[in-house]
């Protein structure tokens, strides 16, 4: 589906982060092959200037008002937790910006939209050609507490989680990313359930986790996840602390399912 008739803009999105929803703002793609692809051209550009990255990924306490500093000592003690919001830009932030943008563009570049009708309602479904499947994504490795999750949270705060496209009278949703926190000793059934819960959170619904949980087999749950990725144009799924999954009791075929999901979407 080529975007025809929309106007490019240099305006950034005013909202971002988990749970945020915004109408599409289109930015002309940097790569000629992506021009006219609404899923790519609705994404913000990555930050590419090192000074800009340093400013964005640094959060100081100086934004708090002078009046707070003049409060009695006892009352100021209640404000101590504000220090948890302090962040310092780390060397990998610039590379993270570029890799996240590359991953999203690769994800949307290899899929094609198709119109489907469910219960008389028209939907747009992103379907890939399995023969053209390519490895996308990246790993972040580092010691616990070194700032990986905080950097991801700052990164995604520049992206609306859900982008609404208006094509004629049809409005369809693009979920740019999902963040899944893997739980200790969990398995792939719990992982699929968490994906459904994350979709519900993004769309403010209470439907999709229940749909996945009702399915008895892992293969069935996997196929449902693939269907939801296609229907909502999910760009990437961030698996936080994936090492917490119970590897000892998880069958090898379950891990292969992740490759199936990647190849088919």
């Amino acid at each position: 589906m080529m975007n025809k008739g929309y106007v490019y803009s240099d305006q950034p999105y005013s909202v971002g982060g988990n749970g945020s929803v915004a109408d599409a703002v289109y930015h002309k793609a940097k790569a000629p092959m992506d021009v006219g692809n609404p899923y790519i051209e609705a994404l913000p550009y990555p930050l590419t200037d090192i000074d800009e990255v340093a400013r964005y990924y640094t959060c100081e306490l100086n934004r708090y008002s002078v009046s707070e500093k003049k409060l009695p000592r006892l009352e100021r003690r209640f404000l101590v937790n504000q220090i948890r919001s302090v962040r310092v830009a780390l060397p990998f932030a610039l590379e993270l910006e570029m890799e996240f943008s590359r991953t999203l563009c690769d994800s949307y570049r290899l899929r094609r939209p198709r119109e489907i009708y469910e219960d008389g309602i028209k939907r747009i479904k992103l379907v890939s050609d399995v023969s053209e499947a390519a490895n996308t994504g990246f790993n972040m490795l580092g010691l616990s507490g070194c700032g990986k999750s905080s950097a991801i949270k700052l990164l995604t705060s520049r992206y609306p989680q859900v982008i609404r496209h208006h094509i004629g009278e049809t409005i369809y949703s693009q979920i740019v990313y999902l963040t899944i926190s893997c739980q200790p000793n969990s398995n792939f059934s719990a992982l699929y359930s968490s994906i459904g819960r994350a979709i519900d959170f993004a769309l403010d619904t209470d439907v999709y986790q229940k749909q996945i949980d009702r399915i008895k087999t892992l293969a069935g749950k996997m196929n449902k996840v693939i269907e939801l990725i296609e229907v909502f144009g999910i760009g990437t799924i961030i698996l936080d602390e994936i090492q917490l999954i119970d590897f000892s009791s998880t069958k090898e075929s379950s891990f292969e399912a992740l490759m199936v999901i990647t190849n088919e979407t």
Side-chain angles (χ1 to χ4, degrees), residues 149-168:
S149 297
S150 296
I152 287 289
K153 185 175 181 180
L154 284 167
L155 167 72
T156 55
S157 68
R158 294 201 311 105
Y159 290 76
Q161 186 174 27
V162 179
I163 296 176
R164 292 180 301 205
H165 298 265
H166 299 257
I167 304 298

Side-chain angles (χ1 to χ4, degrees), residues 39-40 43 104 107-108 111-113 123-127 161-163 165 172-178 199 203 225-237 265:
Y39 291 91
I40 292 177
L43 300 174
L104 287 173
S107 170
Y108 288 122
R111 292 187 272 175
R112 297 290 179 267
R123 289 177 176 267
I124 305 294
K125 200 173 186 179
L126 268 189
V127 180
Q161 186 174 27
V162 179
I163 296 176
H165 298 265
Y172 63 96
S173 296
Q174 169 187 2
I175 299 180
V176 178
Y177 65 89
L178 296 175
I199 293 173
L203 299 175
V225 167
I226 289 174
E227 177 190 335
L228 294 173
I229 290 173
E230 292 176 340
V231 168
F232 295 116
I234 298 173
T236 190
I237 298 177
T265 63

Side-chain angles (χ1 to χ4, degrees), residues 201-216:
F201 180 83
L203 299 175
D204 195 22
T205 58
D206 186 26
V207 175
Y208 301 106
Q209 182 182 6
K210 293 177 181 177
Q211 289 182 358
I212 293 172
D213 289 345
R214 281 197 294 266
I215 300 172
K216 301 299 182 183

